[in-house]
Amino acid sequence: MPDKRPLRDDLQATLDARRDLGPDYEAALVESFVERLDETIAARVQAELAVRGAAPHRHQGKNPGSAMIPVALGSMGIGIPLTAIAAGNAGLVGLTITWLAIVIINVAAAAAIMRRG
């Protein structure tokens, strides 16, 4: 299992920065963390594909939508703890920003998959 410590450290640093900088920088901090999270997820997916010897475009011949399954599952897996953290620290605003970012990531991933397929 990959070490999740760097991602947790990034999240803690983001939350600390939000506390120090205030709500004016919240959107930029969330966007920055989401980008790092997206890179981490992509790296983990690529590593898993390399371990299994699978090509990234393997499933697109039959059903291009099947390539979205790892993205959707990753979003739900990451979304649950982020929901708790955002709601606990930033309330409804944080919760809304968190899920808006997750939706944007999924839409961007779907658009990229559709362009390739």
Side-chain angles (χ1 to χ4, degrees), residues 54-110:
H57 303 291
R58 173 187 240 182
H59 300 291
Q60 290 186 0
K62 291 183 179 177
N63 183 4
S66 65
M68 271 303 293
I69 291 173
V71 176
L73 292 175
S75 294
M76 294 306 295
I78 296 299
I80 292 169
L82 285 180
T83 296
I85 293 166
N89 290 317
L92 184 59
V93 172
L95 184 66
T96 303
I97 291 171
T98 298
W99 279 99
L100 182 61
I102 290 171
V103 167
I104 289 169
I105 289 169
N106 278 280
V107 168

Side-chain angles (χ1 to χ4, degrees), residues 16-75:
D16 292 342
R18 195 266 182 211
R19 194 173 314 119
D20 293 342
L21 298 174
D24 295 340
Y25 293 93
E26 187 170 289
L29 290 169
V30 168
E31 184 63 32
S32 173
F33 178 74
V34 167
E35 287 175 14
R36 290 190 307 267
L37 180 65
D38 189 35
E39 291 169 3
T40 301
I41 291 171
R44 287 181 183 174
V45 168
Q46 290 299 324
E48 183 66 26
L49 289 173
V51 167
R52 295 180 184 212
H57 303 291
R58 173 187 240 182
H59 300 291
Q60 290 186 0
K62 291 183 179 177
N63 183 4
S66 65
M68 271 303 293
I69 291 173
V71 176
L73 292 175
S75 294

